[in-house]
Amino acid sequence: MWCARPGPRSGTLARPQPKERIIDTQDSPRTVKVLEAAEAYARAELGGDSGGHDWWHVHRVRNLAVELAREEDADRFLTELAALLHDIGDFKLSGSLTAGEEAARRFCTEQGLSAEDTDHVAGIVADLSYKGAGVPDAPLSLEGRCVRDADRLDAMGAIGIGRAFAYGGLHRRAMWDPEEAPRLHATETEYRSAKGSTIAHFHEKLLLLKGRMSTDAGARRAEHRHGVLVAFVNEFMAEWDGEDGRG
Ligand code: ADP
Ligand code: NI
């Protein structure tokens, strides 16, 4: 049975409702205008993607990043703005390593942000991405870490599973290939050129994200979402081997 707002584990099936942007009473008309323009830009750029980087991914990341920013006492406006801009010009969609940072910089300049805030937001967008199991994350400001943790949380849990298979399908990847072991990539180039199966990607990235949270608020949320990934992979492997449901 469908149910609009069940408890997450109440036994009924949830039908998620779009969550409105969390309005902060401290938002000035000026910051609201910039955030609305950023939202319109992100919707226009990412609306049509079917590989997991669509507008609703950005929407979830924005709301989650704002929650983390509250808990971490980070600047709420810069966090939300960077979250809204974070996937515009992303390598996966543009093929360019610098297009995202350039687009963020152009947007912030056009919106009249100070040079300092523009550098801050563009720097977050530039350094957000996961670049391989063996590649350390770039050091980021507190606001950047809130956006990065939120982006990574959306790659975990049930939604993370959905996104991974959407991406894998779009790029014609096998779900799993037992003859191809997952690889822990040592360089960004190796990671970016990988064409492995979607389950391999769980081992190459998704299952490692819990250990790479960089805010306490993110780390707390990662526990549950990681457990969902682990349960899914174990179940997938049990079914693959025909060892499920044997009591
Ligand atoms: P980041 O947000 O760190 O830049 P990516 O843009 O590389 O991460 O990936 C975002 C999401 O796209 C991943 O979390 C995953 O859901 C999906 N994805 C990326 N690469 C793969 C892959 N090789 N196989 C399956 N899904 C992938
Ligand atoms: Ni993202």
Side-chain angles (χ1 to χ4, degrees), residues 51 53 90 92 128-130 151-152 155 160 163-164 167-168 173 191-192 198 201 205-206:
H53 290 84
D90 185 82
K92 290 216 163 38
L128 209 63
S129 261
Y130 181 84
D151 192 29
R152 291 179 174 185
R163 291 180 68 215
Y167 182 97
R173 306 277 167 83
Y191 174 69
R192 298 246 179 245
T198 300
H201 183 69
K205 174 182 175 188
L206 307 186

Side-chain angles (χ1 to χ4, degrees), residues 53 57 61 86-87 151 163:
H53 290 84
H57 159 64
V61 170
H86 87 274
D87 265 342
D151 192 29
R163 291 180 68 215

Side-chain angles (χ1 to χ4, degrees), residues 122-240:
I124 293 173
V125 172
D127 282 336
L128 209 63
S129 261
Y130 181 84
K131 295 182 171 65
V135 185
D137 291 323
L140 279 179
S141 65
L142 179 58
E143 290 72 22
R145 287 184 282 122
C146 289
V147 180
R148 183 165 64 196
D149 283 3
D151 192 29
R152 291 179 174 185
L153 284 163
D154 204 57
M156 302 170 72
I159 285 185
I161 295 168
R163 291 180 68 215
F165 284 96
Y167 182 97
L170 187 68
H171 294 270
R172 308 179 75 85
R173 306 277 167 83
M175 283 203 297
W176 168 235
D177 180 352
E179 289 170 349
E180 238 185 73
R183 296 170 52 214
L184 299 180
H185 304 108
T187 66
E188 180 177 2
T189 316
E190 258 182 55
Y191 174 69
R192 298 246 179 245
S193 54
K195 302 250 183 299
S197 70
T198 300
I199 290 287
H201 183 69
F202 279 65
H203 295 281
E204 292 165 358
K205 174 182 175 188
L206 307 186
L207 291 164
L208 308 177
L209 295 178
K210 178 171 90 104
R212 292 174 72 151
M213 289 286 131
S214 55
T215 65
D216 291 341
R220 283 193 292 275
R221 285 168 174 77
E223 286 294 330
H224 177 72
R225 293 193 184 199
H226 180 77
V228 173
L229 294 178
V230 170
F232 172 80
V233 171
N234 285 338
E235 183 65 23
F236 187 102
M237 288 306 165
E239 290 180 17
W240 189 279

Side-chain angles (χ1 to χ4, degrees), residues 63-75:
N63 277 334
L64 197 44
V66 166
E67 278 183 31
L68 301 185
R70 279 221 183 97
E71 287 172 40
E72 296 287 332
D73 229 356
D75 184 288

